[in-house]
Amino acid sequence: MKDRGQYLTALERFSRAAIGHLPTPVEAMPNLGQELGLSLFVKRDDCTGIGFGGNKVRQLEYYLGAAQDVQADVLLITGAVQSNFVRTAAAMGCKLGMRCHIQLEERVPKISDLHRTNGNVLLDRLLGATLHSYPDGEDETGADAAIRRIADSLRDAGQRPYVIPLGADSEPLGALGYVRAAVEVLPQIEAIGGVDEIVVASGSALTHAGLLLGLRLAGDTTPVRGVCVRRNATLQTLRVIQRIADTANLLGVDGQVVAPQDVSVTDAALGPGYGQMTADTRAAIERTARTEGLFLDPVYTGKVMAGLIKLAEADALCGRRVLFWHTGGQPALFGYSDQF
């Protein structure tokens, strides 16, 4: 599968609503890199353009392509209160003439009124989304069942709903966006003289799994390290392995091109759990802003940078060339402003 034409042919079987601002640039981060003793670069997927951008644009291009295939007029999606995924789905739905129903999970404990009303939630409301609530943040199966019941009621009312599922047992269409991203980034990596490692957030695992599978299908062996933002390293490793197998099966390619030792994750920056601010995350966000003028978020990229900094301070990255994959999420900063 190392031939680029074959690689792209596998992707082209799937419908795609190609409205993201792609390709996104790769830029140097010389100031922070010098402080950390490495050559640091950033892949700017915060610049994908729709609804404040982020990695979810690449994923949603495939979900919305499938929604267009069935002539859907309303999208349904589940996420945490400050979810980037649901905000981006609502924005892309508006662009394509689809209304959006959002089911917000109680995934982060003891959140403030600010968290519930600002940041991504404010944007959800500005985009005209209908908001629903689900009481359990660790019940993907139950959340998917609940949102399908909402879809059934909309269908009974004469609408044409399309559900974007949450659970790991669902078809991983979103991972295809990062299989494609691997094709995009390889010439960019070559243009900067190569990198020794890519560091990316690992949550739902669609970004991590899609990128790793895409690189290996293209014959590239660059290590991809996932920084856990929701589960511990043991559970997340299993999830990434499963999502790689699911994505390979969806594409009809050999998932064994990704060896078990290729799946690398660290939970050193996870803290007490998903969406919960830590001192290391706050420090990483402030340090990145003050050295590079680049904003990170408390849920994903701030934890990824905190993990990268820990690795650098432990000399695990000393002198290496590292690509930090910026997955966006900056609107969530405003939902956490009382913690800075």
Side-chain angles (χ1 to χ4, degrees):
M1 201 66 177
K2 294 181 182 181
D3 178 80
R4 184 169 175 174
Q6 292 178 321
Y7 181 79
L8 291 175
T9 297
L11 285 171
E12 294 307 323
R13 297 201 312 269
F14 297 88
S15 297
R16 174 178 169 233
I19 59 175
H21 296 190
L22 304 173
T24 59
V26 168
E27 301 172 352
M29 299 180 69
N31 302 322
L32 183 55
Q34 184 176 25
E35 286 188 5
L36 297 176
L38 52 89
S39 295
L40 186 59
F41 302 87
V42 55
K43 176 63 169 167
R44 295 291 306 273
D45 268 14
D46 58 318
C47 298
T48 51
I50 309 300
F52 281 100
N55 65 320
K56 302 304 184 184
V57 170
R58 292 188 191 269
Q59 296 183 19
L60 284 159
E61 285 191 332
Y62 284 94
Y63 288 115
L64 270 70
Q68 288 180 314
D69 284 347
V70 297
Q71 299 182 318
D73 58 10
V74 58
L75 302 171
L76 295 97
I77 187 169
T78 300
V81 172
Q82 281 295 329
S83 168
N84 303 307
F85 203 5
V86 304
R87 173 255 303 165
T88 311
M92 293 177 72
C94 288
K95 188 80 171 175
L96 297 176
M98 302 178 196
R99 298 187 62 80
C100 190
H101 282 248
I102 290 171
Q103 181 175 248
L104 297 177
E105 306 167 286
E106 295 296 327
R107 195 184 299 176
V108 182
K110 299 179 182 178
I111 57 178
S112 66
D113 289 342
L114 175 72
H115 189 100
R116 292 187 183 280
T117 58
N118 210 328
N120 281 313
V121 182
L122 172 62
L123 299 178
D124 296 340
R125 295 187 185 280
L126 287 173
L127 290 163
T130 301
L131 303 186
H132 307 264
S133 180
Y134 189 75
D136 191 340
E138 296 300 333
D139 179 15
E140 292 181 334
T141 300
D144 278 343
I147 204 162
R148 287 192 175 99
R149 288 193 292 271
I150 298 170
D152 288 341
S153 68
L154 294 172
R155 192 176 293 109
D156 291 343
Q159 298 185 59
R160 299 185 301 277
Y162 179 85
V163 174
I164 299 168
L166 183 66
D169 58 347
S170 61
E171 191 175 61
L173 281 175
L176 301 182
Y178 274 86
V179 175
R180 180 178 290 274
V183 179
E184 175 183 305
V185 79
L186 282 172
Q188 294 178 317
I189 288 174
E190 183 179 0
I192 61 172
V195 297
D196 299 310
E197 185 166 333
I198 298 170
V199 181
V200 66
S202 196
S204 72
L206 294 184
T207 295
H208 183 179
L211 177 61
L212 181 54
L213 178 62
L215 290 172
R216 296 300 180 267
L217 288 171
D220 184 84
T221 60
T222 303
V224 177
R225 193 189 302 256
V227 178
C228 298
V229 298
R230 184 169 181 184
R231 302 168 191 85
N232 65 39
T234 300
L235 292 175
Q236 190 62 20
T237 297
L238 294 173
R239 180 141 180 153
V240 175
I241 290 170
Q242 177 189 340
R243 296 274 77 181
I244 288 171
D246 295 341
T247 306
N249 183 62
L250 182 63
L251 280 168
V253 300
D254 182 8
Q256 293 184 5
V257 295
V258 182
Q261 61 268 27
D262 285 344
V263 179
S264 171
V265 299
T266 174
D267 55 13
L270 177 60
Y274 175 90
Q276 298 181 60
M277 180 77 81
T278 66
D280 288 338
T281 300
R282 183 167 53 248
I285 291 170
E286 292 173 347
R287 189 174 185 179
T288 305
R290 294 169 187 177
T291 57
E292 298 291 346
L294 185 66
F295 295 114
L296 309 180
D297 78 290
V299 184
Y300 295 96
T301 53
K303 288 192 175 183
V304 177
M305 185 57 76
L308 193 158
I309 290 170
K310 283 179 177 290
L311 290 166
E313 291 175 344
D315 291 332
L317 299 176
C318 183
R320 293 173 68 81
R321 297 173 64 81
V322 177
L323 178 65
F324 161 68
W325 204 292
H326 194 322
T327 53
Q330 294 98 324
L333 277 168
F334 300 100
Y336 287 83
S337 62
D338 54 353
Q339 297 187 46
F340 284 92

